[in-house]
Amino acid sequence: MIRGKVGSLSRFRCFGSRTLTSIADQSVAFEEFRTNETEPSRQSLLHEGKFYEIHPSVRKQLFTHGGLPKVYEKQMKTFAETTLMIRKPALEIMDYIKRTNFSKPIIRYVLYGKEGVGKSMTMAHLLHFGMENDFIIVHVPWVANWMKRPRELVTLNDPEGFFDMPLDAAAWLIHFKTQNLPLLSRPELIVSKEYAWSQRESTPKGASLLELVEHGINRMKFATGTIEALLAELKVLSSAGMCKTMVAIDGFNAFLVEKTTLQGLHKVRIPPQKITIVKPFMDIVNCDWQNGVCIISLDKLAIPRGITDSELPLNLLGRVGFELLDPFVPVRVDDYTEKEYYSCIEYYLNRRWIQNRKDGFDEELKFLSAKNPFKLMQLCSSL
């Protein structure tokens, strides 16, 4: 058992050249599993495996409307802090971005790996890096929510046979505005042409991006069209050097399934290509613009079970998706290393999340979880 009456950790475990110490030795434990370096741009392999704390204002800006797994958000609420572990895949991509020649077409980075290894957490770390470096963030927290559980599905007559998700589109615009509000007020970020929404409504040439976004929020009927206009304008502005854009899409392969679980007329399952919100995000991952970066994740959980048993990009993207993204940089996210596993155990001990510390508890957890981050979190969770 993992949970129980609080006791003292009486034993010591050697790991490499270091020693896992008693939880009573707070100063040593702090150095082992936590770092004071809270700026992603300054983090390096020296900090790998350690947790850093995200300031509440940063969390509010980046993750108010999604981006962290629900179970992790619940845990962080219990811990009264938001922390992320610094892991090699995030450090690798941050290093690539620092070395990028932004005058060239965008580079696509594809996060892949088994279920529960931390792809969404890696993306959250990269979002913090992007915010810190003044990237305008185009973030989709989990594509499968649109393909499986939309707030509303509206049948369109123009274009015929298509379906709209106005509530989800407006919610995404609110998410975009929250993440990028400090940058959207910049005077150089204006639309390049007029957008006519109806006979009476239009967004004039020279209006700010913020005006465009707020129009889509206030007039949900035009929210999807606003997203299409917004992403097209961001490609133009980025290529002109007016801003830098980071595209981050979690569960991108949900866009590429043959049929979604949604049903239209006569209970016919709807393909993603017939959902209007899909096209703008498929367009922005094309490498036909500059001064940006694209990070997407692939996950078996984003698609119906049974389509594939492999987590490799070719299997999850399919031939069409693979050719759409090619060339891209694949970055594998794996289970915890030994260092990361023991760092996580120390963190849980420090937060009193693990209370029953009988002899061999950490080896038992390692065996049961196979060092998978999500499984370890589940095993240590409350009843």
Side-chain angles (χ1 to χ4, degrees), residues 163-197:
F163 298 84
D164 193 20
M165 298 178 179
L167 293 179
D168 290 282
W172 185 85
L173 287 170
I174 292 171
H175 178 53
F176 176 85
K177 178 182 174 182
T178 303
Q179 287 186 322
N180 298 287
L181 189 58
L183 298 178
L184 291 178
S185 58
R186 290 184 173 179
E188 65 270 21
L189 299 184
I190 57 176
V191 298
S192 60
K193 63 180 182 179
E194 180 182 4
Y195 292 92
W197 309 109

Side-chain angles (χ1 to χ4, degrees), residues 292-351:
V293 61
C294 179
I295 304 162
I296 69 171
S297 76
L298 310 178
D299 202 307
K300 288 195 292 183
L301 292 175
I303 58 178
R305 291 193 176 276
I307 292 180
T308 178
D309 292 326
S310 172
E311 70 274 6
L312 296 178
L314 178 59
N315 297 85
L316 290 174
L317 288 168
R319 179 60 61 185
V320 172
F322 193 90
E323 291 177 354
L324 171 71
L325 294 178
D326 188 43
F328 62 86
V329 179
V331 179
R332 185 178 181 87
V333 184
D334 281 313
D335 292 322
Y336 282 149
T337 63
E338 287 283 304
K339 179 180 180 181
E340 290 170 341
Y341 170 78
Y342 283 110
S343 178
C344 187
I345 290 296
E346 285 185 2
Y347 181 67
Y348 284 163
L349 286 169
N350 176 266
R351 308 312 297 176

